[in-house]
Amino acid sequence: MTLTDRTGTYPDPAFEADTLEPGEPSAQAAGAVVLSADPSPTHAPEHPSSADPAPIHRPGIALDLAAFRKAGIPVLDVTVPVYNEEKDLEPCVRRLYAYLETQFPHSYRITIADNASTDSTLRVAERLARELETVRAVHLEEKGRGNALRRVWLASDSPVLAYMDVDLSTDLNALAPLVAPLVSGHSDLAIGTRLSRSSRVVRGPKREFVSRSYNFLLQSLMGARFSDAQCGFKAIRSDVAQQLLPHTIDKAWFFDTELLVLAERCGLRCAEIPVDWTDDPNSKVDVARTALEDLRGMYRLTTDMARGRIPLVQLQAALARGPLPAGLRAEEAGRKQSLFGQLVRFGAIGAASTLAYAALFILGRTFMDAQTSNFVALLITAIANTAANRRFTFGVLGRERLTQHHLEGLIVFGIGWALTAGALLWMNSIPNPGQWIELSVLTIANLAATALKFLLFRLWVFRRRA
């Protein structure tokens, strides 16, 4: 990877060190290029003086703007990821540059992240970087918006990182409100939302339906609380990004959702900014294909968190804001998650548990009597059911009270076992009921215990305590 300005071309070792993975060839070998213009006295130079070290910033703490100004580091780094956008790139960047020059209150940098374009996009980006101060271009050999954002953000020295789609569908007047809560330390991430009542949105019914359906699934199945995962208008503090980005995998459109869900599971604060948004009729996004990839991403991310690939407990500890005052802790503990969302997730887990129970019961009946097979099948599925509901339905993470939760879950299991055992005793009075009749009666008894189980989980086992 190299940097080029009006005086020449030179390597950028910081970018190399932060972004290359083990075994990956150097940027120069891969043909990657980064271009930037001469720094202006009113904006940050690309390479601050070693006499002015970068200030330290931590989550939940307001940025020391004077320190960043002294170190010559732009407060905001806006990334515009592009792929084959030779026609739209120049008007987009010039419009964004004009807005930031005249209306944005902080120092900034615009980074054009070209990810493997095959047209003249890179040449346009290079020319813009030479002509406009505070604009640089980054060329990556691998395609994918998520990959481009992850690489550029991990290498950036700015304390606030943002991105927007090249079509600039979102009104730029929302950029300053997007960045403000991150500068103040109030929030860790900020997203533009098209689904707020105060947002003004112009788009077709197909994209409206797909977007709302996808966000509904996120909220129902993954317990997400943010309203709009796919709006191409987001910002994050770099101290948070440095912790979260290494644990993201997706290289394409699901990257946004992956980052937001991970941040939410770590207890980070996300500010939502209502935006005015106009659909680009020439958008190259395949909505249906993207939706399917997002569904696959939801499954993969859920599996990753369930298997512990992502160290949520350690991330929570590293990014913790500190305890709330006692009064506020009590107030927060009293808040409950959406009942509807809990019911949807509980029902999905319950359906999977019922199918698993039926399979285990049938398998057990090949070498055990009905009562023993019923008990073993219920015990196995009860432990898995409690673990799944603990994590996904009620959002309880970490090992705190883990043993207590499972013991109380076993008590709930005992109630379900008593109901199904009673059903088996009743069937004993029926001569030769047959295996399928046994299974049907037991399944009905199992479902009958579901409502009571949910109430016990919600009001007792996983009830939030002050």
Side-chain angles (χ1 to χ4, degrees):
M1 194 72 66
T2 60
L3 285 175
T4 302
D5 61 19
R6 295 171 184 169
T7 61
T9 303
Y10 51 93
D12 182 5
F15 197 98
E16 293 279 340
D18 287 344
T19 59
L20 291 182
E21 298 176 357
E24 186 178 358
S26 70
Q28 287 179 318
V33 178
V34 179
L35 301 171
S36 68
D38 283 332
S40 166
T42 59
H43 299 287
E46 293 292 330
H47 296 280
S49 168
S50 59
D52 296 322
I56 298 174
H57 54 292
R58 300 186 303 277
I61 305 297
L63 298 179
D64 187 345
L65 298 180
F68 282 101
R69 189 180 307 112
K70 181 179 179 181
I73 298 174
V75 171
L76 174 67
D77 192 344
V78 185
T79 302
V80 182
V82 289
Y83 173 74
N84 289 351
E85 298 286 356
E86 59 184 2
K87 294 182 179 179
D88 295 334
L89 178 57
E90 182 165 0
C92 159
V93 171
R94 290 192 181 278
R95 179 181 160 198
L96 176 59
Y97 176 80
Y99 168 82
L100 291 169
E101 278 288 300
T102 59
Q103 300 184 50
F104 192 68
H106 306 294
S107 57
Y108 71 90
R109 177 195 297 130
I110 299 173
T111 300
I112 304 170
D114 170 55
N115 49 107
S117 291
T118 57
D119 61 4
S120 61
T121 296
L122 179 58
R123 290 194 294 274
V124 176
E126 292 172 348
R127 177 169 52 79
L128 289 169
R130 288 191 295 267
E131 294 177 3
L132 301 176
E133 57 185 9
T134 72
V135 174
R136 68 174 182 173
V138 176
H139 175 65
L140 301 170
E141 293 293 334
E142 187 175 4
K143 183 181 175 182
R145 183 181 71 171
N147 176 65
L149 291 175
R150 182 163 42 242
R151 296 284 300 272
V152 171
W153 281 358
L154 282 174
S156 179
D157 56 354
S158 294
V160 178
L161 312 169
Y163 93 89
M164 59 186 63
D165 292 336
V166 69
D167 55 18
L168 293 187
S169 294
T170 304
D171 184 5
L172 289 176
N173 287 324
L175 183 56
L178 187 81
V179 172
L182 307 186
V183 172
S184 69
H186 173 274
S187 299
D188 306 295
L189 302 90
I191 65 173
T193 176
R194 300 160 295 184
L195 302 182
S196 168
R197 290 186 177 182
S198 59
S199 299
R200 296 184 297 180
V201 177
V202 179
R203 63 175 167 180
K206 178 182 178 181
R207 296 195 69 166
E208 182 78 11
F209 174 77
V210 171
S211 178
R212 289 188 177 272
S213 298
Y214 177 63
N215 284 287
F216 171 79
L217 289 175
L218 279 176
Q219 293 160 12
S220 300
L221 301 180
M222 299 195 72
R225 296 184 182 181
F226 48 86
S227 65
D228 192 349
Q230 295 174 312
C231 182
F233 196 74
K234 296 181 175 69
I236 185 172
R237 284 177 57 120
S238 65
D239 44 10
V240 172
Q242 293 292 330
Q243 296 279 352
L244 297 185
L245 290 177
H247 302 287
T248 61
I249 292 178
D250 193 82
K251 297 181 179 181
W253 298 97
F254 186 71
F255 169 82
D256 297 49
T257 301
E258 184 175 29
L259 183 62
L260 288 173
V261 170
L262 181 56
E264 197 167 71
R265 292 297 177 89
C266 291
L268 298 178
R269 181 176 294 159
C270 181
E272 298 202 8
I273 310 300
V275 298
D276 296 341
W277 195 86
T278 303
D279 191 13
D280 178 11
N282 299 316
S283 174
K284 301 175 183 177
V285 178
D286 185 335
V287 177
R289 179 180 177 182
T290 300
L292 290 175
E293 291 176 352
D294 286 343
L295 291 175
R296 296 191 191 100
M298 289 172 58
Y299 172 79
R300 192 263 305 160
L301 180 58
T302 301
T303 303
D304 284 348
M305 291 190 294
R307 292 177 176 175
R309 183 191 69 79
I310 302 174
L312 291 177
V313 176
Q314 291 87 338
L315 288 173
Q316 286 173 333
L319 298 169
R321 287 175 166 264
L324 288 169
L328 293 178
R329 285 203 305 271
E331 178 184 347
E332 177 66 19
R335 298 176 185 170
K336 295 182 179 180
Q337 296 179 352
S338 165
L339 174 61
F340 179 75
Q342 287 183 343
L343 282 171
V344 171
R345 295 191 294 277
F346 179 83
I349 293 172
S353 298
T354 300
L355 292 175
Y357 163 81
L360 289 170
F361 179 79
I362 292 176
L363 178 64
R365 285 292 284 126
T366 60
F367 57 91
M368 290 185 289
D369 61 74
Q371 288 284 13
T372 304
S373 178
N374 172 56
F375 179 84
V376 172
L378 269 178
L379 180 62
I380 293 173
T381 54
I383 294 173
N385 183 278
T386 298
N389 277 300
R390 181 180 190 269
R391 178 179 291 269
F392 299 114
T393 302
F394 300 97
V396 181
L397 304 174
R399 302 185 59 85
E400 185 178 359
R401 299 176 58 228
L402 177 62
T403 302
Q404 178 181 343
H405 286 156
H406 274 289
L407 288 175
E408 292 171 349
L410 288 175
I411 294 176
V412 175
F413 147 75
I415 296 174
W417 174 76
L419 288 173
T420 52
L424 280 174
L425 288 175
W426 174 77
M427 279 192 298
N428 286 338
S429 62
I430 302 176
N432 300 321
Q435 188 180 76
W436 289 107
I437 294 179
E438 281 184 349
L439 179 61
S440 299
V441 172
L442 288 173
T443 300
I444 292 172
N446 220 8
L447 292 174
T450 299
L452 180 60
K453 180 188 295 186
F454 177 78
L455 289 175
L456 289 173
F457 274 171
R458 180 178 171 86
L459 302 178
W460 174 45
V461 180
F462 302 115
R463 179 176 64 86
R464 293 190 177 187
R465 294 171 171 83

